CSV table of all heavy atoms in Angstrom, one decimal:
chain,number,residue,atom,x,y,z
D,15,MET,N,0.2,-1.8,-8.4
D,15,MET,CA,-0.2,-3.0,-7.7
D,15,MET,C,-1.6,-3.4,-8.1
D,15,MET,O,-2.4,-2.6,-8.4
D,15,MET,CB,-0.1,-2.8,-6.2
D,15,MET,CG,1.3,-2.5,-5.7
D,15,MET,SD,2.4,-3.9,-6.1
D,15,MET,CE,3.9,-3.0,-6.2
D,16,HIS,N,-1.9,-4.7,-7.9
D,16,HIS,CA,-3.2,-5.2,-8.3
D,16,HIS,C,-3.6,-6.2,-7.3
D,16,HIS,O,-2.8,-7.0,-6.9
D,16,HIS,CB,-3.0,-5.8,-9.7
D,16,HIS,CG,-4.2,-5.8,-10.5
D,16,HIS,ND1,-4.5,-4.8,-11.4
D,16,HIS,CD2,-5.3,-6.7,-10.6
D,16,HIS,CE1,-5.7,-5.1,-12.0
D,16,HIS,NE2,-6.2,-6.2,-11.5
D,17,GLY,N,-4.8,-6.2,-6.9
D,17,GLY,CA,-5.3,-7.2,-6.0
D,17,GLY,C,-6.8,-7.1,-5.7
D,17,GLY,O,-7.4,-6.2,-6.2
D,18,ARG,N,-7.2,-8.0,-5.0
D,18,ARG,CA,-8.6,-8.0,-4.6
D,18,ARG,C,-8.8,-7.5,-3.2
D,18,ARG,O,-8.1,-8.0,-2.3
D,18,ARG,CB,-9.2,-9.5,-4.7
D,18,ARG,CG,-10.6,-9.5,-5.0
D,18,ARG,CD,-11.0,-11.0,-5.2
D,18,ARG,NE,-10.1,-11.7,-6.2
D,18,ARG,CZ,-10.2,-13.0,-6.4
D,18,ARG,NH1,-11.0,-13.7,-5.8
D,18,ARG,NH2,-9.3,-13.5,-7.3
D,19,ARG,N,-9.7,-6.6,-3.0
D,19,ARG,CA,-9.9,-6.2,-1.6
D,19,ARG,C,-10.4,-7.4,-0.8
D,19,ARG,O,-11.4,-8.0,-1.2
D,19,ARG,CB,-11.0,-5.1,-1.6
D,19,ARG,CG,-10.4,-3.7,-1.4
D,19,ARG,CD,-11.5,-2.7,-1.5
D,19,ARG,NE,-11.0,-1.5,-2.2
D,19,ARG,CZ,-10.2,-0.6,-1.7
D,19,ARG,NH1,-9.7,-0.8,-0.5
D,19,ARG,NH2,-9.8,0.4,-2.4
D,20,GLY,N,-9.7,-7.7,0.3
D,20,GLY,CA,-10.1,-8.9,1.0
D,20,GLY,C,-9.6,-10.2,0.4
D,20,GLY,O,-9.9,-11.3,0.9
D,21,GLY,N,-8.9,-10.1,-0.7
D,21,GLY,CA,-8.4,-11.2,-1.4
D,21,GLY,C,-7.1,-11.7,-0.8
D,21,GLY,O,-6.6,-11.2,0.2
D,22,SER,N,-6.4,-12.7,-1.5
D,22,SER,CA,-5.3,-13.3,-0.8
D,22,SER,C,-3.9,-13.0,-1.5
D,22,SER,O,-2.9,-13.3,-0.9
D,22,SER,CB,-5.5,-14.8,-0.8
D,22,SER,OG,-5.8,-15.3,-2.0
D,23,VAL,N,-3.9,-12.4,-2.7
D,23,VAL,CA,-2.7,-12.2,-3.3
D,23,VAL,C,-2.6,-10.8,-3.9
D,23,VAL,O,-3.6,-10.4,-4.5
D,23,VAL,CB,-2.4,-13.2,-4.5
D,23,VAL,CG1,-1.0,-13.0,-5.1
D,23,VAL,CG2,-2.5,-14.7,-3.9
D,24,VAL,N,-1.5,-10.1,-3.8
D,24,VAL,CA,-1.3,-8.8,-4.3
D,24,VAL,C,-0.3,-8.9,-5.5
D,24,VAL,O,0.7,-9.6,-5.3
D,24,VAL,CB,-0.8,-7.8,-3.3
D,24,VAL,CG1,-0.5,-6.4,-3.9
D,24,VAL,CG2,-1.9,-7.6,-2.2
D,25,HIS,N,-0.6,-8.3,-6.6
D,25,HIS,CA,0.3,-8.4,-7.8
D,25,HIS,C,0.8,-7.0,-8.2
D,25,HIS,O,0.1,-6.0,-7.9
D,25,HIS,CB,-0.5,-9.0,-9.0
D,25,HIS,CG,-0.9,-10.3,-8.8
D,25,HIS,ND1,-0.1,-11.4,-9.1
D,25,HIS,CD2,-2.1,-10.9,-8.4
D,25,HIS,CE1,-0.8,-12.5,-8.9
D,25,HIS,NE2,-2.0,-12.2,-8.4
D,26,GLU,N,1.9,-7.0,-8.9
D,26,GLU,CA,2.3,-5.8,-9.7
D,26,GLU,C,1.2,-5.7,-10.8
D,26,GLU,O,0.6,-6.7,-11.3
D,26,GLU,CB,3.6,-6.1,-10.4
D,26,GLU,CG,4.8,-5.4,-9.8
D,26,GLU,CD,4.8,-3.9,-9.8
D,26,GLU,OE1,3.8,-3.3,-10.3
D,26,GLU,OE2,5.6,-3.4,-9.1
D,27,SER,N,0.9,-4.4,-11.2
D,27,SER,CA,-0.2,-4.2,-12.2
D,27,SER,C,0.1,-4.9,-13.5
D,27,SER,O,-0.8,-5.2,-14.3
D,27,SER,CB,-0.5,-2.8,-12.4
D,27,SER,OG,0.6,-2.0,-12.0
D,28,SER,N,1.4,-5.1,-13.8
D,28,SER,CA,1.7,-5.7,-15.1
D,28,SER,C,1.7,-7.2,-15.1
D,28,SER,O,1.9,-7.9,-16.1
D,28,SER,CB,3.1,-5.3,-15.5
D,28,SER,OG,4.1,-5.6,-14.5
D,29,CYS,N,1.4,-7.8,-13.9
D,29,CYS,CA,1.5,-9.3,-13.8
D,29,CYS,C,0.3,-9.9,-14.5
D,29,CYS,O,-0.8,-9.5,-14.4
D,29,CYS,CB,1.4,-9.7,-12.3
D,29,CYS,SG,1.5,-11.5,-12.1
D,30,ARG,N,0.7,-11.0,-15.3
D,30,ARG,CA,-0.3,-11.6,-16.1
D,30,ARG,C,-1.3,-12.4,-15.2
D,30,ARG,O,-2.5,-12.5,-15.5
D,30,ARG,CB,0.3,-12.7,-17.0
D,30,ARG,CG,0.7,-12.0,-18.4
D,30,ARG,CD,1.0,-13.1,-19.4
D,30,ARG,NE,2.4,-13.5,-19.3
D,30,ARG,CZ,2.9,-14.6,-19.7
D,30,ARG,NH1,2.1,-15.5,-20.2
D,30,ARG,NH2,4.2,-14.9,-19.6
D,31,ARG,N,-0.9,-12.8,-14.1
D,31,ARG,CA,-1.7,-13.5,-13.2
D,31,ARG,C,-2.8,-12.6,-12.5
D,31,ARG,O,-3.7,-13.1,-11.9
D,31,ARG,CB,-0.9,-14.3,-12.1
D,31,ARG,CG,-0.1,-15.4,-12.8
D,31,ARG,CD,0.7,-16.2,-11.8
D,31,ARG,NE,-0.2,-16.8,-10.8
D,31,ARG,CZ,0.2,-17.6,-9.8
D,31,ARG,NH1,1.5,-17.9,-9.7
D,31,ARG,NH2,-0.6,-18.2,-9.0
D,32,ALA,N,-2.5,-11.3,-12.6
D,32,ALA,CA,-3.5,-10.4,-12.0
D,32,ALA,C,-4.7,-10.1,-12.9
D,32,ALA,O,-5.7,-9.6,-12.4
D,32,ALA,CB,-2.8,-9.1,-11.7
D,33,GLU,N,-4.6,-10.5,-14.1
D,33,GLU,CA,-5.6,-10.2,-15.1
D,33,GLU,C,-7.0,-10.8,-14.6
D,33,GLU,O,-7.0,-12.0,-14.2
D,33,GLU,CB,-5.3,-10.7,-16.4
D,33,GLU,CG,-4.4,-9.7,-17.2
D,33,GLU,CD,-4.1,-10.3,-18.6
D,33,GLU,OE1,-4.8,-11.1,-19.1
D,33,GLU,OE2,-3.0,-9.9,-19.1
D,34,GLY,N,-8.0,-10.0,-14.8
D,34,GLY,CA,-9.3,-10.5,-14.5
D,34,GLY,C,-9.7,-10.7,-13.1
D,34,GLY,O,-10.8,-11.1,-12.7
D,35,SER,N,-8.8,-10.3,-12.2
D,35,SER,CA,-9.1,-10.4,-10.8
D,35,SER,C,-8.7,-9.1,-10.0
D,35,SER,O,-7.7,-8.6,-10.2
D,35,SER,CB,-8.4,-11.6,-10.1
D,35,SER,OG,-7.0,-11.3,-10.0
D,36,GLY,N,-9.6,-8.7,-9.2
D,36,GLY,CA,-9.3,-7.6,-8.3
D,36,GLY,C,-9.3,-6.2,-9.0
D,36,GLY,O,-9.7,-6.1,-10.2
D,37,THR,N,-8.8,-5.2,-8.3
D,37,THR,CA,-8.8,-3.9,-8.8
D,37,THR,C,-7.5,-3.3,-8.6
D,37,THR,O,-6.6,-3.9,-7.9
D,37,THR,CB,-9.8,-3.0,-8.0
D,37,THR,OG1,-9.6,-3.2,-6.6
D,37,THR,CG2,-11.3,-3.5,-8.2
D,38,GLU,N,-7.2,-2.2,-9.2
D,38,GLU,CA,-6.0,-1.5,-9.1
D,38,GLU,C,-5.8,-0.9,-7.7
D,38,GLU,O,-6.8,-0.3,-7.1
D,38,GLU,CB,-6.0,-0.3,-10.1
D,38,GLU,CG,-4.6,0.2,-10.4
D,38,GLU,CD,-3.8,-0.9,-11.2
D,38,GLU,OE1,-4.4,-1.6,-11.9
D,38,GLU,OE2,-2.6,-0.9,-11.0
D,39,LEU,N,-4.7,-1.2,-7.0
D,39,LEU,CA,-4.5,-0.7,-5.7
D,39,LEU,C,-3.3,0.3,-5.7
D,39,LEU,O,-2.3,0.1,-6.4
D,39,LEU,CB,-4.1,-1.9,-4.8
D,39,LEU,CG,-5.1,-3.0,-4.5
D,39,LEU,CD1,-4.5,-4.1,-3.7
D,39,LEU,CD2,-6.4,-2.4,-3.9
D,40,ARG,N,-3.4,1.3,-4.9
D,40,ARG,CA,-2.2,2.1,-4.7
D,40,ARG,C,-1.3,1.3,-3.8
D,40,ARG,O,-1.7,0.4,-3.1
D,40,ARG,CB,-2.6,3.4,-4.0
D,40,ARG,CG,-3.4,4.3,-4.9
D,40,ARG,CD,-3.9,5.6,-4.2
D,40,ARG,NE,-4.7,5.2,-3.1
D,40,ARG,CZ,-4.7,5.9,-1.9
D,40,ARG,NH1,-4.0,7.0,-1.8
D,40,ARG,NH2,-5.5,5.5,-0.9
D,41,THR,N,0.0,1.7,-3.8
D,41,THR,CA,1.0,1.0,-3.0
D,41,THR,C,0.6,0.9,-1.5
D,41,THR,O,0.7,-0.1,-0.9
D,41,THR,CB,2.4,1.7,-3.1
D,41,THR,OG1,2.7,1.8,-4.5
D,41,THR,CG2,3.4,0.9,-2.4
D,42,GLU,N,0.0,2.0,-1.0
D,42,GLU,CA,-0.4,2.0,0.4
D,42,GLU,C,-1.5,1.0,0.7
D,42,GLU,O,-1.6,0.3,1.7
D,42,GLU,CB,-0.9,3.4,0.9
D,42,GLU,CG,0.0,4.5,0.6
D,42,GLU,CD,-0.3,5.2,-0.7
D,42,GLU,OE1,0.2,4.7,-1.8
D,42,GLU,OE2,-1.1,6.1,-0.8
D,43,GLU,N,-2.4,0.9,-0.3
D,43,GLU,CA,-3.5,-0.1,-0.2
D,43,GLU,C,-3.0,-1.5,-0.3
D,43,GLU,O,-3.5,-2.4,0.4
D,43,GLU,CB,-4.5,0.2,-1.3
D,43,GLU,CG,-5.3,1.5,-1.1
D,43,GLU,CD,-6.2,1.9,-2.2
D,43,GLU,OE1,-5.8,1.6,-3.4
D,43,GLU,OE2,-7.2,2.4,-2.0
D,44,ALA,N,-2.0,-1.7,-1.2
D,44,ALA,CA,-1.4,-3.0,-1.3
D,44,ALA,C,-0.7,-3.4,0.0
D,44,ALA,O,-0.8,-4.6,0.5
D,44,ALA,CB,-0.4,-3.1,-2.4
D,45,LEU,N,0.0,-2.5,0.6
D,45,LEU,CA,0.7,-2.8,1.9
D,45,LEU,C,-0.3,-3.1,3.0
D,45,LEU,O,-0.1,-4.0,3.8
D,45,LEU,CB,1.6,-1.6,2.3
D,45,LEU,CG,2.8,-1.4,1.4
D,45,LEU,CD1,3.5,-0.1,1.7
D,45,LEU,CD2,3.8,-2.5,1.7
D,46,ASP,N,-1.4,-2.3,3.0
D,46,ASP,CA,-2.4,-2.5,4.0
D,46,ASP,C,-3.0,-3.9,3.8
D,46,ASP,O,-3.3,-4.6,4.8
D,46,ASP,CB,-3.5,-1.4,3.7
D,46,ASP,CG,-4.5,-1.3,4.9
D,46,ASP,OD1,-4.0,-1.1,6.0
D,46,ASP,OD2,-5.7,-1.5,4.7
D,47,ALA,N,-3.3,-4.3,2.6
D,47,ALA,CA,-3.8,-5.6,2.3
D,47,ALA,C,-2.8,-6.7,2.8
D,47,ALA,O,-3.2,-7.7,3.4
D,47,ALA,CB,-4.1,-5.8,0.8
D,48,LEU,N,-1.5,-6.5,2.6
D,48,LEU,CA,-0.5,-7.5,2.9
D,48,LEU,C,-0.4,-7.7,4.4
D,48,LEU,O,0.1,-8.7,4.9
D,48,LEU,CB,0.8,-7.0,2.4
D,48,LEU,CG,1.1,-7.5,0.9
D,48,LEU,CD1,2.5,-6.9,0.5
D,48,LEU,CD2,1.1,-9.0,0.8
D,49,MET,N,-0.8,-6.7,5.2
D,49,MET,CA,-0.7,-6.8,6.6
D,49,MET,C,-1.7,-7.7,7.2
D,49,MET,O,-1.7,-8.0,8.4
D,49,MET,CB,-0.8,-5.4,7.3
D,49,MET,CG,0.5,-4.6,7.1
D,49,MET,SD,0.4,-3.0,7.8
D,49,MET,CE,1.4,-2.0,6.7
D,50,ARG,N,-2.7,-8.0,6.4
D,50,ARG,CA,-3.8,-8.9,6.9
D,50,ARG,C,-3.4,-10.3,6.9
D,50,ARG,O,-2.6,-10.7,6.0
D,50,ARG,CB,-5.1,-8.7,6.1
D,50,ARG,CG,-5.6,-7.3,6.3
D,50,ARG,CD,-6.9,-7.0,5.6
D,50,ARG,NE,-7.1,-5.6,5.7
D,50,ARG,CZ,-7.4,-4.8,4.7
D,50,ARG,NH1,-7.6,-5.2,3.5
D,50,ARG,NH2,-7.6,-3.5,4.9
D,51,PRO,N,-3.9,-11.1,7.8
D,51,PRO,CA,-3.6,-12.6,7.8
D,51,PRO,C,-4.0,-13.3,6.5
D,51,PRO,O,-5.1,-13.0,6.0
D,51,PRO,CB,-4.4,-13.1,9.0
D,51,PRO,CG,-4.8,-11.9,9.8
D,51,PRO,CD,-4.8,-10.7,8.9
D,52,GLY,N,-3.2,-14.1,6.0
D,52,GLY,CA,-3.5,-14.9,4.9
D,52,GLY,C,-3.3,-14.2,3.5
D,52,GLY,O,-3.5,-14.8,2.5
D,53,VAL,N,-2.8,-13.0,3.6
D,53,VAL,CA,-2.6,-12.2,2.3
D,53,VAL,C,-1.1,-12.2,2.0
D,53,VAL,O,-0.3,-12.0,2.9
D,53,VAL,CB,-3.1,-10.8,2.5
D,53,VAL,CG1,-2.8,-10.0,1.2
D,53,VAL,CG2,-4.6,-10.7,2.8
D,54,ASP,N,-0.8,-12.5,0.8
D,54,ASP,CA,0.6,-12.7,0.4
D,54,ASP,C,0.9,-11.8,-0.9
D,54,ASP,O,0.0,-11.5,-1.6
D,54,ASP,CB,1.0,-14.1,0.1
D,54,ASP,CG,2.5,-14.4,0.2
D,54,ASP,OD1,3.2,-13.5,0.6
D,54,ASP,OD2,2.9,-15.5,-0.1
D,55,ALA,N,2.2,-11.5,-1.1
D,55,ALA,CA,2.5,-10.9,-2.4
D,55,ALA,C,2.9,-11.9,-3.4
D,55,ALA,O,3.5,-12.9,-3.1
D,55,ALA,CB,3.7,-9.9,-2.1
D,56,CYS,N,2.5,-11.7,-4.6
D,56,CYS,CA,2.8,-12.7,-5.7
D,56,CYS,C,4.3,-12.8,-5.9
D,56,CYS,O,5.0,-11.8,-5.9
D,56,CYS,CB,2.1,-12.2,-7.0
D,56,CYS,SG,2.5,-13.2,-8.4
D,57,HIS,N,4.7,-14.0,-6.1
D,57,HIS,CA,6.2,-14.2,-6.3
D,57,HIS,C,6.5,-14.4,-7.8
D,57,HIS,O,7.7,-14.6,-8.1
D,57,HIS,CB,6.7,-15.4,-5.5
D,57,HIS,CG,6.7,-15.1,-4.0
D,57,HIS,ND1,7.8,-14.7,-3.3
D,57,HIS,CD2,5.7,-15.1,-3.1
D,57,HIS,CE1,7.5,-14.4,-2.0
D,57,HIS,NE2,6.2,-14.7,-1.9
D,58,ASP,N,5.5,-14.3,-8.6
D,58,ASP,CA,5.7,-14.5,-10.1
D,58,ASP,C,6.0,-13.1,-10.7
D,58,ASP,O,6.3,-13.0,-11.9
D,58,ASP,CB,4.6,-15.2,-10.7
D,58,ASP,CG,4.5,-16.6,-10.3
D,58,ASP,OD1,5.6,-17.2,-10.0
D,58,ASP,OD2,3.4,-17.2,-10.2
D,59,CYS,N,5.7,-12.0,-10.0
D,59,CYS,CA,5.9,-10.7,-10.5
D,59,CYS,C,6.7,-9.9,-9.4
D,59,CYS,O,7.2,-10.5,-8.5
D,59,CYS,CB,4.6,-10.0,-10.8
D,59,CYS,SG,3.5,-9.8,-9.4
D,60,ASP,N,6.8,-8.6,-9.6
D,60,ASP,CA,7.7,-7.8,-8.7
D,60,ASP,C,7.0,-7.5,-7.4
D,60,ASP,O,7.6,-6.8,-6.6
D,60,ASP,CB,8.1,-6.5,-9.4
D,60,ASP,CG,9.2,-6.8,-10.4
D,60,ASP,OD1,9.8,-7.9,-10.4
D,60,ASP,OD2,9.4,-6.0,-11.3
D,61,ALA,N,5.7,-7.9,-7.2
D,61,ALA,CA,5.0,-7.5,-6.0
D,61,ALA,C,5.8,-7.8,-4.7
D,61,ALA,O,5.9,-7.0,-3.8
D,61,ALA,CB,3.6,-8.1,-6.0
D,62,ALA,N,6.2,-9.1,-4.6
D,62,ALA,CA,7.0,-9.5,-3.4
D,62,ALA,C,8.3,-8.7,-3.3
D,62,ALA,O,8.6,-8.3,-2.2
D,62,ALA,CB,7.2,-11.0,-3.5
D,63,ILE,N,9.0,-8.5,-4.4
D,63,ILE,CA,10.3,-7.9,-4.4
D,63,ILE,C,10.1,-6.4,-4.0
D,63,ILE,O,10.9,-5.9,-3.2
D,63,ILE,CB,10.9,-7.9,-5.8
D,63,ILE,CG1,11.2,-9.4,-6.2
D,63,ILE,CG2,12.2,-7.1,-5.9
D,63,ILE,CD1,11.4,-9.6,-7.7
D,64,VAL,N,9.0,-5.8,-4.4
D,64,VAL,CA,8.8,-4.4,-4.1
D,64,VAL,C,8.2,-4.2,-2.7
D,64,VAL,O,8.6,-3.3,-2.0
D,64,VAL,CB,7.9,-3.8,-5.2
D,64,VAL,CG1,7.4,-2.4,-4.8
D,64,VAL,CG2,8.6,-3.7,-6.5
D,65,LEU,N,7.2,-5.1,-2.4
D,65,LEU,CA,6.4,-4.8,-1.2
D,65,LEU,C,7.0,-5.4,0.1
D,65,LEU,O,7.0,-4.8,1.2
D,65,LEU,CB,5.0,-5.3,-1.4
D,65,LEU,CG,4.2,-4.6,-2.4
D,65,LEU,CD1,2.9,-5.3,-2.6
D,65,LEU,CD2,4.0,-3.2,-2.0
D,66,ILE,N,7.6,-6.6,0.0
D,66,ILE,CA,8.1,-7.2,1.2
D,66,ILE,C,9.2,-6.4,2.0
D,66,ILE,O,9.0,-6.2,3.2
D,66,ILE,CB,8.6,-8.6,0.9
D,66,ILE,CG1,7.5,-9.5,0.3
D,66,ILE,CG2,9.2,-9.3,2.2
D,66,ILE,CD1,6.5,-10.0,1.2
D,67,PRO,N,10.2,-5.8,1.3
D,67,PRO,CA,11.1,-4.9,2.0
D,67,PRO,C,10.5,-3.7,2.6
D,67,PRO,O,10.9,-3.3,3.7
D,67,PRO,CB,12.1,-4.5,0.9
D,67,PRO,CG,12.0,-5.5,-0.2
D,67,PRO,CD,10.5,-6.0,-0.1
D,68,VAL,N,9.5,-3.2,2.0
D,68,VAL,CA,8.8,-2.0,2.5
D,68,VAL,C,8.0,-2.4,3.8
D,68,VAL,O,8.1,-1.7,4.8
D,68,VAL,CB,7.8,-1.4,1.5
D,68,VAL,CG1,7.1,-0.2,2.1
D,68,VAL,CG2,8.5,-1.0,0.3
D,69,LEU,N,7.4,-3.6,3.8
D,69,LEU,CA,6.7,-4.1,4.9
D,69,LEU,C,7.6,-4.3,6.1
D,69,LEU,O,7.4,-3.9,7.2
D,69,LEU,CB,6.1,-5.4,4.6
D,69,LEU,CG,4.6,-5.5,4.2
D,69,LEU,CD1,4.2,-7.0,4.1
D,69,LEU,CD2,3.7,-4.7,5.2
D,70,GLN,N,8.8,-4.9,5.8
D,70,GLN,CA,9.8,-5.2,6.8
D,70,GLN,C,10.3,-3.9,7.4
D,70,GLN,O,10.6,-3.8,8.6
D,70,GLN,CB,10.9,-6.1,6.3
D,70,GLN,CG,10.3,-7.5,6.2
D,70,GLN,CD,11.3,-8.4,5.3
D,70,GLN,OE1,12.2,-7.9,4.7
D,70,GLN,NE2,11.0,-9.7,5.4
D,71,LEU,N,10.6,-2.9,6.6
D,71,LEU,CA,11.0,-1.6,7.1
D,71,LEU,C,10.0,-1.0,8.0
D,71,LEU,O,10.3,-0.5,9.1
D,71,LEU,CB,11.2,-0.6,5.9
D,71,LEU,CG,12.5,-0.6,5.2
D,71,LEU,CD1,12.4,0.4,4.1
D,71,LEU,CD2,13.6,-0.1,6.2
D,72,GLY,N,8.7,-1.1,7.6
D,72,GLY,CA,7.6,-0.5,8.4
D,72,GLY,C,7.6,-1.2,9.8
D,72,GLY,O,7.4,-0.6,10.8
D,73,GLU,N,7.8,-2.5,9.8
D,73,GLU,CA,7.7,-3.3,11.1
D,73,GLU,C,8.9,-2.8,12.0
D,73,GLU,O,8.7,-2.8,13.2
D,73,GLU,CB,7.8,-4.8,10.8
D,73,GLU,CG,6.4,-5.3,10.4
D,73,GLU,CD,6.5,-6.7,9.8
D,73,GLU,OE1,7.5,-7.4,10.0
D,73,GLU,OE2,5.5,-7.2,9.2
D,74,GLY,N,10.0,-2.5,11.4
D,74,GLY,CA,11.2,-2.1,12.1
D,74,GLY,C,11.0,-0.8,12.9
D,74,GLY,O,11.6,-0.6,13.9
D,75,HIS,N,10.0,0.0,12.4
D,75,HIS,CA,9.8,1.3,13.0
D,75,HIS,C,8.8,1.2,14.1
D,75,HIS,O,8.5,2.2,14.8
D,75,HIS,CB,9.4,2.3,12.0
D,75,HIS,CG,10.5,2.7,11.1
D,75,HIS,ND1,11.5,3.4,11.5
D,75,HIS,CD2,10.7,2.5,9.8
D,75,HIS,CE1,12.4,3.6,10.5
D,75,HIS,NE2,11.9,3.0,9.4
D,76,ARG,N,8.2,0.0,14.3
D,76,ARG,CA,7.1,0.0,15.3
D,76,ARG,C,7.7,-0.3,16.7
D,76,ARG,O,8.7,-1.0,16.8
D,76,ARG,CB,6.1,-1.1,15.0
D,76,ARG,CG,4.9,-0.4,14.3
D,76,ARG,CD,4.0,-1.4,13.7
D,76,ARG,NE,3.7,-1.1,12.3
D,76,ARG,CZ,2.9,-1.8,11.5
D,76,ARG,NH1,2.5,-3.0,11.9
D,76,ARG,NH2,2.7,-1.4,10.3
H,7,LIG,ZN1,1.8,-11.4,-9.8
């Protein structure tokens, strides 16, 4: 995963749109970022495909 701390989009590390922005995030860090308001997973790479189901699973357990 790739993203900017406090930024607005989280990417898969292989995503071309992630280049030059942000730092490498572990999956837990990416999920943590996604739980913040205004933060979304990139839909041009696998970030949304990978992270959104995990997020929804997590919410189901609360
Ligand atoms: Zn991306």
Side-chain angles (χ1 to χ4, degrees):
M15 295 301 152
H16 208 91
R18 206 175 309 173
R19 260 178 217 285
S22 54
V23 183
V24 176
H25 296 274
E26 259 298 353
S27 21
S28 58
C29 181
R30 271 194 274 157
R31 293 183 60 176
E33 273 179 28
S35 72
T37 52
E38 201 68 31
L39 297 176
R40 289 177 301 146
T41 304
E42 308 94 274
E43 292 172 323
L45 286 170
D46 193 56
L48 273 178
M49 284 177 213
R50 291 181 190 132
V53 179
D54 200 7
C56 176
H57 289 263
D58 292 328
C59 61
D60 285 342
I63 296 162
V64 170
L65 293 173
I66 301 285
V68 179
L69 263 189
Q70 285 167 349
L71 269 180
E73 281 169 12
H75 286 292
R76 263 172 227 176

